[in-house]
């Protein structure tokens, strides 16, 4: 069987930690992570080079109550460690499905994962390995959205995919307003004027300045990732 030709050669997939929870209150839902990995495996089989930036909200949520009143920088470093835990779980699930994954951390934990080195990350991608970027940017006060924009620009990704539970950007909350319509595409300036809250301001500005398009799509919708890389009408494209 001949595989369809993808529209993108190299992508950066931004996964929130919450996406790994499934219906659980926090932590990692094994069935959910396995299903997501199967979607990634499908596009790597088409020859697409995939890098992933993952959040840690699903794990940090379990200790969030105890972090109330904590120094912000300390809390952010705790969140970075949570992303490393998620990255290890994701890489393990990938290996079990036949993918070769490499976790690279922005903070040094060399006994556990290798440090982020850009040339090495590029080499892994060219070899067909999935690279999972952990620990955000390695700095407090920056979100994993910003890490996705930064790593996407560094590795020369053609598209940043922001995986959510909603199949795109809507004019209003589709769960509350049945008349809400999905935007097929938006410019960065339009999204900012309409205050749509797609990514945090730092990440959004970086993507706009680097002319790095962002696609917002549903990671829980079967086959959505494949349709995105094929260039089909899936989700919402935000462009410069």
């Amino acid at each position: 069987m001949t595989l369809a030709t993808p529209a993108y050669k190299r992508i950066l997939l931004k996964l929130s930690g919450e996406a790994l929870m499934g219906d659980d209150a926090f932590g990692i839902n094994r069935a959910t992570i396995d299903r997501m990995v199967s979607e990634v495996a499908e596009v790597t089989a088409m020859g697409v080079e995939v890098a992933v930036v993952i959040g840690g909200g699903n794990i940090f949520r379990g200790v969030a109550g105890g972090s109330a009143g904590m120094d912000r920088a300390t809390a952010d470093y705790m969140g970075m460690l949570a992303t490393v835990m998620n990255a290890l779980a994701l890489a393990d699930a990938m290996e079990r499905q036949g993918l070769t994954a490499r976790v690279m951390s922005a903070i040094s934990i060399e006994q556990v994962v290798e440090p982020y080195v850009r040339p090495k990350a590029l080499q892994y991608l060219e070899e067909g390995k999935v690279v999972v970027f952990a620990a955000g940017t390695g700095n407090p006060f920056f979100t994993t959205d910003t890490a996705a924009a930064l790593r996407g620009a560094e590795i020369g990704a053609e598209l940043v995919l922001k995986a959510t539970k909603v199949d795109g950007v809507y004019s209003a909350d589709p769960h509350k307003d049945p008349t809400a319509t999905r935007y097929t595409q938006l410019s960065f300036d339009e999204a900012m004027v309409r205050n749509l809250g797609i990514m945090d301001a730092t990440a959004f500005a970086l993507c706009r300045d680097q002319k790095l398009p962002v696609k917002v799509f549903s990671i829980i919708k079967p086959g959505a990732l494949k349709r995105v890389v094929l260039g089909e009408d899936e989700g919402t494209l935000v462009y410069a």
Side-chain angles (χ1 to χ4, degrees), residues 11-15 40 50-54 161 163 217 219 225:
I11 61 172
L12 187 292
L13 176 63
K14 167 58 172 63
L15 281 175
V40 173
V50 180
V52 182
V53 166
I54 193 161
L161 281 69
F217 77 109
I219 193 62
L225 179 58

Side-chain angles (χ1 to χ4, degrees), residues 58-197:
N58 59 317
I59 293 175
F60 194 64
R61 181 177 294 188
V63 296
S67 70
M70 183 181 293
D71 174 76
R72 169 63 189 276
T74 299
D76 282 357
Y77 281 118
M78 290 173 65
M80 289 179 213
L81 294 175
T83 72
V84 175
M85 295 169 68
N86 278 340
L88 289 170
L90 184 62
D92 177 74
M94 288 179 174
E95 296 283 351
R96 286 187 289 103
Q97 292 199 34
L99 295 173
T100 302
R102 293 289 182 269
V103 178
M104 306 189 86
S105 172
I107 56 177
S108 181
I109 323 175
E110 293 189 40
Q111 293 89 341
V112 182
V113 293
E114 61 184 291
Y116 169 67
V117 179
R118 179 175 175 267
K120 195 69 174 177
L122 292 171
Q123 178 187 330
Y124 287 151
L125 289 169
E126 290 164 0
E127 291 172 350
K129 298 178 174 69
V130 179
V131 181
V132 184
F133 296 120
T137 66
N139 302 286
F141 309 109
F142 290 94
T143 68
T144 49
D145 275 352
T146 300
L150 177 62
R151 297 292 182 248
E154 285 184 301
I155 67 171
E158 298 169 279
L159 183 69
V160 170
L161 281 69
K162 184 174 172 72
T164 70
K165 294 183 177 181
V166 182
D167 64 340
V169 180
Y170 281 76
S171 56
D173 186 341
H175 297 298
K176 299 178 180 178
D177 184 354
T179 66
T181 56
R182 176 176 64 89
Y183 296 111
T184 302
Q185 58 183 28
L186 289 162
S187 70
F188 282 107
D189 290 339
E190 287 173 329
M192 293 177 74
V193 168
R194 297 175 188 179
N195 194 29
L196 295 174

